[in-house]
């Protein structure tokens, strides 16, 4: 379980007039959840998730993982980093080994596992993200963008984290790659892994996350189910966000006098709701 | 961790020094260095200190910010001072076994320290009040006589401005990659030197790859906009105005003053 208690974070706390990148963060994420974190660029999403594996420590307040307070004095954080896997934005930029397999082995190796165990984990992880065995000995730099991204994610998965945090993992992917990636996250979540998905696209997170946390200007603005969050359309628009396209259409239909359910964000459900409304007429 | 480096940093403010033509500032810095080396007695250093004080006040840059850059050279400063104090022969003031401190040693160490500090502060005032772009434009203009001997002045200036521009970008990139590898359990704080060198590979390889990628992108973007080197004209050509001529006059007067002080007044050593 991840828990933030009154967390505040400053990048330059010694500068006069510095503004916090995070403020008043109170957030609890239980095991097995699928949480979407949304916010405009610069709202503090990346700062927030870097607290989750101890890369950043709160300036004020506490961050607690499974009952242990994580701060600058926590010493060795390798264990925490194996439990909370963090995939950075554009993770393909961190590939460095000569072959795909070796690169994925880097995390397990740092955990002190034997070579055989590392390899086993790497193969498992590559399998999960859908990288074919024929690429294992290829140089990661020769792969296509989408494949690089998969390999990089496998590099984190190979540490068998209990919580997987991804910072805008779909940025720059084509619709198909995006769809594959999100489905993979869903599968991992069904197998019991906690997933925290950062995004600025409502359409991406709405379909998969069962809970949305909206960050605006260093604060948590909303925290609830997608349906709850999308009912605040005007506030979301003010934050530079939007409701998913489907929800937007349903909301306009409703405000134009059609009796449809304006909280939907799924194409099929929306179609059904519209059909029902038309039948009634 | 990398953010403390203020080398070549620009501090935006609305001051006379900021508005001054960058060529004047470069020439001024060179004259200031000359003054520091001309000085050989108390009055010479007082003149340099006064000039520096006036520049700091005029620049409107917070003093704390100016001296932040000093932290980087404190080590160098200490070595210089220690060597000079203990190793200069001369009139002995204090002796304990083989260690002796001489009057000349103290004097030389003191003047060296003052020169170094003044030098660093003086040049950082220039970089703090001049954007990297202005700086390279000015360098290009000042170096243009060398075009006659076939020196690719424009290209050199362009390379300098790109290099300067890339320093913060690469620092940010280093920070990001470091964090990303730490998320995979990498440590950058091993005690053994060989381990530490090895632990840098996961940082350096992606950093080089990214530097080449960025260089490639930039080259492409420049070509796409038909960049052909030195034959272009400028949107904002450098143009002297009256305050620049006045500044030149003041600079020369101070330099002549420093020379007069050296010639007329006795040296310290
Ligand atoms: N390394 C850093 N140093 C200083 N400020 C930073 C750094 N990273 C982010 N910030 C600032 O913190 C705020 C939040 O940034 P970030 O967490 O990256 O937002 P997001 O991921 O939501 O786009 C922004 O105002 C940004 O400028
Ligand atoms: Mg971000």
């Amino acid at each position: 379980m991840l828990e933030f208690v009154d967390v505040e974070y400053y990048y330059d706390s010694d500068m006069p007039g510095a503004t916090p990148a995070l403020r008043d963060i109170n957030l609890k994420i239980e095991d097995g959840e699928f949480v979407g974190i949304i916010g405009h660029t610069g709202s503090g999403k990346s700062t927030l998730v870097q607290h989750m594996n101890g890369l950043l420590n709160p300036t004020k307040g506490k961050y607690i993982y499974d009952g242990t307070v994580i701060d600058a004095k926590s010493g060795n954080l390798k264990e925490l980093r194996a439990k909370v896997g963090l995939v950075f934005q554009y993770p393909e930029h961190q590939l460095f080994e000569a072959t795909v397999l070796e690169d994925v082995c880097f995390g397990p190796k740092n955990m002190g596992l034997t070579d055989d165990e590392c390899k086993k984990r790497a193969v498992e992880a590559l399998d999960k993200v859908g990288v074919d065995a024929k690429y294992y000995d290829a140089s990661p730099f020769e792969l296509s963008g989408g494949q690089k991204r998969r390999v990089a994610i496998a590099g984190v998965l190979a540490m068998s984290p209990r919580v997987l945090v991804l910072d805008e993992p779909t940025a720059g992917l084509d619709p198909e790659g995006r769809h594959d990636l999100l489905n993979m996250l869903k599968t991992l979540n069904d197998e019991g892994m906690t997933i925290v998905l950062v995004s600025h696209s409502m359409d991406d997170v709405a379909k998969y996350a069962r809970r949305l946390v909206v960050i605006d200007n260093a604060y948590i603005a909303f925290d609830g189910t997608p349906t709850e969050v999308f009912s605040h359309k005007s506030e979301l628009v003010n934050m530079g966000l939007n409701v998913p396209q489907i929800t937007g259409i349903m909301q306009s239909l409703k405000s134009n006098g059609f009796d449809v359910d304006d909280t939907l964000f799924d194409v099929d459900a929306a179609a059904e709701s519209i059909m029902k409304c038309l039948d009634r007429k | 961790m990398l953010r403390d480096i203020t080398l070549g940093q620009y501090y935006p403010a609305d001051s006379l020094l900021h508005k001054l033509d960058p060529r004047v500032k470069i020439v001024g810095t060179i004259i200031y260095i000359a003054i520091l080396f001309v000085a050989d007695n108390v009055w010479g250093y007082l003149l340099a200190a006064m000039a520096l004080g006036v520049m700091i006040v005029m620049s409107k840059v917070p003093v704390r910010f100016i001296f932040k850059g000093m932290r980087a050279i404190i080590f160098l400063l200490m070595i210089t001072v220690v060597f000079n104090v203990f190793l200069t022969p001369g009139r002995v003031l204090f002796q304990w076994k083989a260690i002796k401190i001489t009057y000349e040693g103290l004097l030389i160490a003191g003047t060296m320290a003052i020169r170094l500090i003044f030098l660093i502060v003086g040049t950082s005032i220039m970089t703090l009040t001049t954007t990297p772009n202005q700086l390279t434009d000015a360098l290009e203009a000042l170096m243009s006589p060398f075009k006659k001997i076939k020196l690719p002045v424009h290209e050199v200036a362009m390379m300098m401005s790109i290099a300067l521009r890339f320093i913060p970008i690469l620092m940010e990139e280093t920070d990001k990659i470091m964090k990303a590898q730490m998320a995979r359990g990498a440590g950058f704080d091993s005690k053994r030197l060989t381990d530490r060198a090895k632990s840098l590979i996961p940082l350096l390889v992606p950093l080089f790859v990214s530097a080449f990628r960025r260089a490639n992108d930039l080259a492409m973007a420049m070509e796409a906009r038909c960049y052909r080197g030195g034959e272009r004209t400028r949107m904002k050509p450098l143009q002297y105005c009256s305050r620049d001529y006045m500044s030149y006059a003041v600079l020369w007067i101070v330099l002549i003053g420093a020379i007069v002080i050296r010639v007329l007044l006795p040296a310290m050593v």
Side-chain angles (χ1 to χ4, degrees):
Chain A
M1 190 177 76
L2 313 171
E3 195 177 355
F4 288 82
V5 183
D6 295 327
V7 168
E8 195 166 292
Y9 184 80
Y10 286 87
Y11 276 103
D12 301 293
S13 51
D14 55 344
M15 288 287 244
T19 51
L22 288 178
R23 184 179 274 181
D24 289 339
I25 300 291
N26 282 292
L27 180 67
K28 216 187 244 185
I29 297 176
E30 305 281 350
D31 290 338
E33 277 196 88
F34 194 135
V35 182
I37 296 184
I38 347 172
H40 195 256
T41 310
S43 55
K45 308 179 296 291
S46 302
T47 311
L48 178 70
V49 296
Q50 285 174 44
H51 280 75
M52 293 183 176
N53 70 349
L55 282 172
L56 298 177
N57 297 123
T59 312
K60 273 194 211 133
K62 269 190 229 154
Y63 167 63
I64 305 164
Y65 178 77
D66 268 351
T68 316
V69 176
I70 309 294
D71 56 24
K73 297 188 274 310
S74 300
N76 195 343
L77 290 168
K78 275 192 188 178
E79 220 172 300
L80 172 71
R81 292 190 181 143
K83 282 187 198 148
V84 182
L86 175 56
V87 178
F88 273 79
Q89 198 170 358
Y90 298 107
E92 57 273 24
H93 292 176
Q94 72 209 37
L95 301 171
F96 70 97
E97 279 284 12
T99 70
V100 165
L101 197 64
E102 278 176 73
D103 202 281
V104 179
C105 284
F106 181 67
K109 247 187 222 155
N110 285 326
M111 290 164 63
L113 301 179
T114 62
D115 282 359
D116 286 344
E117 182 71 13
C118 288
K119 212 169 156 190
K120 201 179 124 226
R121 292 243 190 135
V123 171
E124 264 173 34
L126 284 166
D127 199 42
K128 272 188 189 143
V129 298
V131 172
D132 202 90
K134 70 177 178 221
Y135 294 117
Y136 289 0
D137 291 323
S139 160
F141 299 106
E142 290 166 359
L143 304 179
S144 74
Q147 282 170 325
K148 276 188 197 161
R149 177 87 44 104
R150 287 164 191 242
V151 171
I153 295 176
V156 174
L157 274 182
M159 299 197 295
S160 316
R162 291 174 48 195
V163 181
L164 184 64
V165 185
L166 303 101
D167 195 350
E168 313 216 8
T170 55
L173 289 186
D174 55 29
E176 194 190 333
R178 206 141 120 171
H179 187 252
D180 287 352
L181 176 65
L182 292 170
N183 272 331
M184 181 199 81
L185 296 182
K186 174 127 184 26
T187 313
L188 290 172
N189 182 244
D190 290 341
E191 291 166 13
M193 196 182 282
T194 312
I195 306 281
V196 178
L197 174 64
V198 174
S199 179
H200 59 242
S201 151
M202 282 288 188
D203 287 284
D204 268 4
V205 286
K207 265 183 271 173
Y208 298 89
R210 288 191 295 274
R211 174 178 167 199
L212 294 185
V213 176
V214 182
I215 313 260
D216 177 41
N217 206 358
Y219 287 96
I220 292 184
F222 300 113
D223 180 354
T225 63
T227 311
E228 277 163 22
V229 170
F230 297 150
S231 61
H232 301 278
K233 178 169 184 188
S234 59
E235 287 103 315
L236 288 175
V237 170
N238 277 339
M239 291 169 197
L241 297 169
N242 213 334
V243 296
Q245 279 180 359
I246 305 289
T247 318
I249 292 170
M250 299 304 268
Q251 285 174 348
S252 329
L253 280 175
K254 182 144 192 177
S255 62
N256 280 301
F258 291 92
D259 180 26
V260 294
D261 181 356
D262 64 351
T263 61
L264 299 173
F265 39 83
D266 181 320
V267 181
D268 295 334
E272 201 172 310
S273 174
I274 295 173
M275 290 308 287
K276 255 191 210 148
C277 162
L278 292 178
D279 282 347
R280 270 195 298 273
K281 289 218 158 159
Chain B
M1 53 201 109
L2 295 165
R3 326 195 95 241
D4 294 334
I5 302 171
T6 56
L7 180 85
Q9 214 176 35
Y10 175 68
Y11 184 95
D14 180 29
S15 81
L16 185 63
L17 273 195
H18 283 78
K19 278 187 249 154
L20 218 54
D21 189 288
R23 285 171 294 183
V24 180
K25 286 189 266 189
I26 291 182
V27 172
T29 308
I30 295 170
I31 290 184
Y32 184 70
I33 295 173
I35 291 173
L36 280 181
F37 285 92
V38 165
D40 69 344
N41 59 33
V42 180
W43 299 106
Y45 286 110
L46 265 181
L47 182 72
M50 255 171 48
L52 196 61
V54 170
M55 284 197 295
I56 290 177
V57 172
M58 274 194 348
S59 71
K60 291 194 186 158
V61 179
V63 176
R64 196 179 51 85
F65 207 87
I66 294 176
F67 284 93
K68 219 166 87 175
M70 295 296 296
R71 266 187 282 178
I73 62 139
I74 235 144
F75 189 63
L76 181 72
L77 204 63
M78 303 255 276
I79 294 181
T80 322
V81 168
V82 167
F83 271 83
N84 277 302
V85 166
F86 291 111
L87 299 180
T88 314
R91 279 178 288 160
V92 177
L93 292 179
F94 171 86
Q95 183 151 25
W96 183 71
K97 293 189 181 149
I99 301 171
K100 58 180 181 224
I101 295 176
T102 62
Y103 173 75
E104 282 77 8
L106 281 183
L107 204 63
I108 292 180
T111 50
M112 281 286 252
I114 289 176
R115 271 186 190 168
L116 258 176
I117 293 173
F118 281 13
L119 190 72
I120 303 284
V121 173
T123 38
S124 36
I125 288 178
M126 172 180 72
T127 52
L128 281 165
T129 60
T130 319
T131 62
N133 274 342
Q134 285 180 326
L135 215 56
T136 42
D137 279 358
L139 271 179
E140 187 177 344
L142 290 172
M143 288 193 305
S144 59
F146 293 107
K147 271 185 198 154
K148 290 217 181 71
I149 55 164
K150 294 270 161 54
L151 198 74
V153 170
H154 171 80
E155 280 70 18
V156 170
M158 193 60 164
M159 281 194 290
M160 279 182 52
S161 79
I162 291 174
L164 281 173
R165 177 71 194 84
F166 267 57
I167 291 174
I169 292 178
L170 285 180
M171 296 241 243
E172 203 175 291
E173 193 88 2
T174 311
D175 195 49
K176 254 195 232 158
I177 296 171
M178 229 161 149
K179 277 183 176 165
Q181 305 298 25
M182 276 157 78
R184 294 208 275 167
F188 293 101
D189 42 11
S190 306
K191 292 281 181 305
R192 283 198 9 230
L193 201 63
T194 45
D195 286 353
R196 188 180 281 205
K198 234 187 248 165
S199 73
L200 285 181
I201 295 173
L203 173 63
L204 292 181
V205 173
L207 198 58
F208 269 98
V209 172
S210 124
F212 279 111
R213 187 182 56 237
R214 281 179 191 282
N216 207 12
D217 289 352
L218 183 67
M220 203 101 89
M222 285 167 80
E223 255 195 271
R225 291 177 221 176
C226 305
Y227 177 75
R228 288 279 172 277
E231 60 205 58
R232 18 176 233 165
T233 54
R234 299 188 173 281
M235 182 153 122
K236 290 180 191 160
L238 291 175
Q239 200 125 47
Y240 284 126
C241 58
S242 57
R243 64 166 171 259
D244 299 314
Y245 292 119
M246 297 243 297
S247 312
Y248 271 133
V250 173
L251 281 167
W252 288 114
I253 289 171
V254 176
L255 180 62
I256 291 167
I259 295 172
V260 168
I261 287 175
R262 184 187 170 111
V263 172
L264 293 188
L265 298 172
M268 276 189 294
V269 183

